[in-house]
Amino acid sequence: MSHFDFDPDSRKQLLNLLLAKLENYYAQTKNLKVSSDWNVREVKDFVRTLSFQQVNSAEAVVDHVVQGMTNYTVHTPHPNYFGLFNPRANFASILADLITATFNPQMAAWSHAPFANEIEQYIIQEFGKKFGYEEGSIDGTFCTGGAESNLTGVLCALNHFFPAFNETGIQGIDKQLVIYCSSEAHHSIVKAAKMTGLGSQSVQSIPVNESLAMDTGILKKQIQADRQKGLLPFLIVGTAGTTGAGAIDDLNALHLIAAEEKMWFHVDAAYGGAIITSDKYRNLLSGIHKSDSITLDMHKWFSAPMGTSVFLTSHKNILHQSFRVKTNYMPADGDPDQIIDPYLHSVQWSRRFNGLKIYLPLAIHGWKEYEQLIDQQIDMGAIFKKRLQEKDWEIVNHSPLPILCFRIKGTSNEEMIQLVNNITHTGKAWLSIYPIRGQHTIRVCFTNYSTTLRELDELLELLEKARNLKR
Ligand SMILES: *Cc1c(COP(=O)(O)O)cnc(C)c1O
C-alpha cells in the first residue's frame, strides 16, 4: 500500500494544520516585512536541511515550507508592495487552485474534462465579448502567462499569412519578416521572435512619444523603409499598459496602419486589459475590438494566482490552424463547431485547469467587484500623483493607469537607487526603479486590492523621510 494518500484522519489533521497556517499568513500579511535582505548561503542551507534519504513527518515538512515561504519571499500579497503587477491572490481564486489540484482534470482533450473545458470556453467568450469582438468570431485559449499568450499571438500571425508555415516553418518564407512594437513593449515579444525562429533581429523597436506610447508616425516610415529594403512587415504589437510606466499605445491608429499594410494587429493588454471591466475607463482601450488578438493576464490586475493568462482572437479558426496535429493516442477529434480540444489549439499539451481561478471570483463577486476595484485604484493613482506634486516630486510618466514614475529634480541616478534601497531595506514597502529617457525614476503601482489610502499615507511618509535623509 502506498503512503501517498495518508489516512482520512491524518488528511483532516494536516489540512487543519495547514489552513491555520495559511489563514495566519493571509490575515496577518500586513504585519510582515514586505522584503528582507537574504543571505544566499542561508537560503540554500535552509532548503537543504531536509534530506530525501530519510522520511520526515508531514507536519514537520509543511512547517518547514511555510517557514521558508514566510522568511525568504518578497511578500507580494502585502498591501505595501507597490512593485510590479503581482497583486495579492483573491481568496476565491485560491479556493479554485485547491479544487483544481484535487480533481486534477486533464484539460488537453475536451472529452476528458467537459465541465472544466466548457468553463474556460465560457470565460473566453465572455471576455471576447467584453473586448467588443463579434460573437461567432471569438476564440481563445488559456495560457500560463503573458509570455505564452504573446508567443501564441506571433504564431497565429505567422500561420495566418503563411498557410504552409506549419510544414515549412520559417524556412519556407523567402523574405525576412518584421515585427513592430514600441521600445517600451514587453521583452516577451523578443523571446517569442526567438522561439518562432524569426530571431530577435526581426523585432523592430519603435521609439515612443512624450506619453511613452509608440510613435505611429515613425512606425509608418519604418514600415515603408523596411519594405523598400525587401523585408516583409507582418505584425504590429500594440501595448495597452506598458510594464514600466503604464503607457497605452494608440490602438485605433495602430489598427489603421495594420489594416492598410495588411498586417496582423496584436494587443498586449497583459496588465491594462483589466480596465475593460470599467464603464468609466474602458474608453482608454478604444480600438481594441479591431485587433486580431489580445493578451490578457488574469494573474495581474484580476488577482488570480500565478499561471493564469488568456489569449483571445477574433479569428475563429486560427488557433486550430496553428496548432493542429495528428496523433494515434489522443481521443479522437470532436466536432470543432461543438467542442474544442485544447491540445490541438495551443502551445500546451497536458494542461492545468487555470480558468477556474478567474471563473470562481467572477461567479462569486460578478464583474461589478472588478469594476469597483479598477475605478478605485485608478482614483488612488490620481490622488497619489497630486500629493506627490504638492510635495514637489517630479512626475515623469503620464499614464491614466495607477502607475507613477517620479523623481527628485536634479538628483543623480545613483541617488535615486540609494533612496529606493533605503526604503525597501526597512521592509515597510517595496518599490522599484524604472529608467525613463535615461533618468532613473521611482516606480510605484497600485494593483493590490488590499492597498488603501492608509498605505498611500505610509508610502508618502517613507518617501519624505528618505528624501530628508538625503538632504
Ligand atoms: C507581465 C507582462 C507580460 C508578461 O506576462 P507574464 O504573465 O509575466 O508571462 C507581457 N506583457 C506585459 C505588458 C506585461 O506587463
Side-chain angles (χ1 to χ4, degrees):
M1 247 286 279
S2 158
H3 290 105
F4 281 135
D5 261 8
F6 293 85
D7 60 63
D9 281 343
S10 311
R11 282 203 296 267
K12 249 185 231 150
Q13 241 176 351
L14 270 172
L15 271 176
N16 284 336
L17 173 93
L18 178 62
L19 277 184
K21 285 180 192 295
L22 295 184
E23 173 57 22
N24 183 53
Y25 177 72
Y26 208 64
Q28 309 289 332
T29 327
K30 172 97 182 170
N31 298 335
L32 292 168
K33 280 182 151 196
V34 187
S35 67
S36 314
D37 293 326
W38 298 293
N39 176 299
V40 179
R41 193 67 258 159
E42 183 186 318
V43 181
K44 283 180 183 285
D45 287 347
F46 185 78
V47 166
R48 287 161 181 75
T49 45
L50 296 184
S51 147
F52 308 143
Q53 310 303 333
Q54 64 195 54
V55 293
N56 300 287
S57 85
E59 288 80 1
V61 176
V62 167
D63 198 57
H64 178 76
V65 170
V66 171
Q67 208 184 322
M69 294 298 286
T70 307
N71 293 341
Y72 306 118
T73 308
V74 174
H75 294 294
T76 52
H78 197 293
N80 298 65
Y81 176 82
F82 302 104
L84 305 159
F85 314 123
N86 303 312
R88 181 182 179 81
N90 70 73
F91 192 69
S93 63
I94 293 176
L95 291 179
D97 239 2
L98 183 63
I99 296 171
T100 292
T102 309
F103 281 87
N104 200 26
Q106 169 55 286
M107 304 277 291
W110 188 93
S111 59
H112 260 50
F115 176 74
N117 267 305
E118 282 307 315
I119 286 219
E120 290 200 344
Q121 274 308 308
Y122 180 31
I123 297 285
I124 283 161
Q125 293 299 320
E126 289 300 302
F127 272 95
K129 283 189 274 181
K130 274 262 172 227
F131 279 105
Y133 280 174
E134 250 173 65
E135 253 176 275
S137 73
I138 304 166
D139 196 15
T141 184
F142 269 82
C143 295
T144 51
E148 185 193 333
S149 292
N150 283 338
L151 169 65
T152 305
V154 174
L155 281 165
C156 285
L158 284 166
N159 279 282
H160 178 73
F161 291 116
F162 310 101
F165 182 79
N166 266 338
E167 287 73 40
T168 66
I170 218 70
Q171 314 194 76
I173 302 165
D174 56 2
K175 282 188 174 170
Q176 228 176 302
L177 300 177
V178 192
I179 300 173
Y180 301 82
C181 59
S182 92
S183 56
E184 294 283 308
H186 195 270
H187 283 81
S188 54
I189 306 297
V190 173
K191 257 192 172 181
K194 293 182 186 182
M195 289 186 279
T196 48
L198 292 165
S200 57
Q201 288 178 2
S202 70
V203 180
Q204 187 58 258
S205 163
I206 303 295
V208 292
N209 59 23
E210 260 306 289
S211 50
L212 300 171
M214 200 190 313
D215 186 318
T216 53
I218 297 181
L219 170 66
K220 271 193 198 170
K221 283 190 198 132
Q222 186 65 48
I223 292 174
Q224 295 322 324
D226 288 346
R227 282 202 197 284
Q228 271 164 16
K229 275 195 268 175
L231 310 182
L232 187 51
F234 81 108
L235 168 62
I236 297 175
V237 178
T239 309
T242 55
T243 319
I248 301 177
D249 288 341
D250 183 341
L251 304 181
N252 282 304
L254 294 186
H255 163 258
L256 262 180
I257 297 170
E260 268 170 25
E261 299 285 343
K262 302 205 167 28
M263 296 165 73
W264 187 273
F265 177 36
H266 176 73
V267 180
D268 181 357
Y271 155 62
I275 53 176
I276 204 69
T277 57
S278 163
D279 276 346
K280 200 166 159 194
Y281 295 110
R282 183 176 304 128
N283 62 340
L284 292 171
L285 299 176
S286 169
I288 198 163
H289 67 287
K290 292 181 272 191
S291 65
D292 297 294
S293 53
I294 298 170
T295 287
L296 176 69
D297 271 2
M298 298 303 176
H299 60 210
K300 287 186 175 162
W301 222 345
F302 285 99
S303 61
M306 294 289 171
T308 323
S309 177
V310 164
F311 172 81
L312 295 167
T313 174
S314 54
H315 296 253
K316 186 78 191 159
N317 299 313
I318 193 64
L319 283 169
H320 194 259
Q321 187 188 322
S322 303
F323 294 103
R324 68 183 187 276
V325 279
K326 282 251 173 293
T327 67
N328 47 17
Y329 54 86
M330 290 296 280
D333 280 8
D335 173 357
D337 285 336
Q338 292 288 318
I339 59 162
I340 284 164
D341 283 319
Y343 83 103
L344 299 172
H345 217 79
S346 88
V347 173
Q348 296 173 54
W349 201 287
S350 287
R351 54 195 293 135
R352 183 182 174 82
F353 185 17
N354 282 320
L356 194 60
K357 287 181 278 184
I358 182 65
Y359 174 83
L360 233 67
L362 271 176
I364 291 172
H365 305 293
W367 292 112
K368 202 82 214 152
E369 188 72 20
Y370 279 114
E371 177 171 25
Q372 279 168 7
L373 172 73
I374 302 294
D375 288 357
Q376 179 201 327
Q377 287 185 324
I378 290 180
D379 290 349
M380 271 171 36
I383 290 169
F384 199 66
K385 179 176 180 174
K386 200 156 155 254
R387 293 174 66 184
L388 284 173
Q389 282 167 328
E390 282 163 7
K391 299 272 187 196
D392 217 25
W393 293 82
E394 181 190 8
I395 313 283
V396 183
N397 72 328
H398 303 283
S399 171
L401 305 176
I403 300 181
L404 291 156
C405 299
F406 51 96
R407 59 195 315 281
I408 305 170
K409 276 184 206 131
T411 39
S412 71
N413 287 347
E414 269 313 305
E415 285 172 297
M416 295 311 291
I417 293 174
Q418 198 51 50
L419 191 143
V420 165
N421 284 346
N422 284 345
I423 293 176
T424 50
H425 281 166
T426 65
K428 288 180 180 158
W430 200 94
L431 24 106
S432 58
I433 286 281
Y434 185 68
I436 297 178
R437 298 179 200 101
Q439 282 191 328
H440 280 20
T441 68
I442 301 172
R443 177 193 181 283
V444 300
C445 91
F446 309 128
T447 39
N448 187 328
Y449 62 83
S450 69
T451 300
T452 65
L453 292 175
R454 173 182 158 197
E455 280 73 32
L456 265 52
D457 288 343
E458 291 167 358
L459 176 59
L460 193 61
E461 199 183 310
L462 284 168
L463 284 163
E464 287 294 300
K465 221 164 128 186
R467 177 165 68 174
N468 289 336
L469 204 73
K470 206 187 80 56
R471 276 175 179 158

